[in-house]
Amino acid sequence: MTAHTRETSVQELKRAWMEEAIRLATDSVRNGGGPFGALVAREGEVVAIGNNQVTATLDPTAHAEVSAMRAACKELGTFSLEGCVLVTSCEPCPMCLSSALWARVDGIVYSADRHDAAVAGFDDRKFYDLFDKKPQSMWPTRVEHLDLPNRTAPFDAWLAKSDRIDY
């Protein structure tokens, strides 16, 4: 397998995982959760999934990324997610980003960004400003933006939901 073929295969896998994260987020809205979905993958396989359950569990830390990482740690029997990738439907908030750094994931891939989230009523931009002092090139974990055409589907479903609990 050539390096180009290997890179194409990796990108296709990331795209498939992202489609799954977006589906999880959209399903979460239908099932009473928030419009965020995430998964943890290792060695080409999905280890665990998670969706936003903040209002369902009355837990402000029950973000999709944290839920997926907690499940992955249990599945793998470790607190370290070295060798894993966190794939999330939306740019991780500072809490989730910090959690991923503590978990030692090898990388993070997201689709919708903080501005997309703000349009849907999830405006964490003031929190991001606290972290924007150090360029990402100096961070210990690579953060990658994967822009998909349906990146805002979970937010669209959220905004269309008449019985959503805004927070």
Side-chain angles (χ1 to χ4, degrees), residues 85-153:
V85 176
L86 174 64
V87 180
T88 179
S89 63
C90 186
E91 182 177 9
C93 73
M95 178 189 71
C96 292
L97 179 59
S98 297
S99 297
L101 294 173
W102 276 108
R104 309 292 196 265
V105 298
D106 285 2
I108 300 166
V109 183
Y110 69 93
S111 192
D113 65 20
R114 64 185 78 175
H115 308 292
D116 296 320
V119 169
F122 297 88
D123 193 354
D124 297 339
R125 290 178 290 191
K126 63 182 174 238
F127 302 138
Y128 289 103
D129 291 344
L130 298 171
F131 290 86
D132 284 343
K133 306 269 187 260
K134 189 173 191 177
Q136 285 186 358
S137 61
M138 297 178 69
W139 291 8
T141 298
R142 184 175 48 81
V143 178
E144 178 183 351
H145 179 217
L146 180 59
D147 188 10
L148 294 186
N150 62 340
R151 72 180 189 278
T152 61

Side-chain angles (χ1 to χ4, degrees), residues 5-21:
T5 304
R6 207 172 9 260
E7 179 60 27
T8 300
S9 177
V10 168
Q11 288 304 319
E12 288 172 356
L13 196 51
K14 286 180 183 177
R15 181 176 285 277
W17 289 338
M18 185 58 69
E19 292 288 351
E20 175 65 6

Side-chain angles (χ1 to χ4, degrees), residues 20-21 23-25 28 34 36-40 46 48-53 62-72 86-89:
E20 175 65 6
R23 185 194 65 74
L24 288 166
S28 179
F36 302 92
L39 61 86
V40 174
V46 174
I49 61 173
N51 68 289
N52 182 284
Q53 300 177 19
H63 291 200
E65 298 89 341
V66 171
S67 297
M69 288 187 288
R70 285 175 179 159
L86 174 64
V87 180
T88 179
S89 63

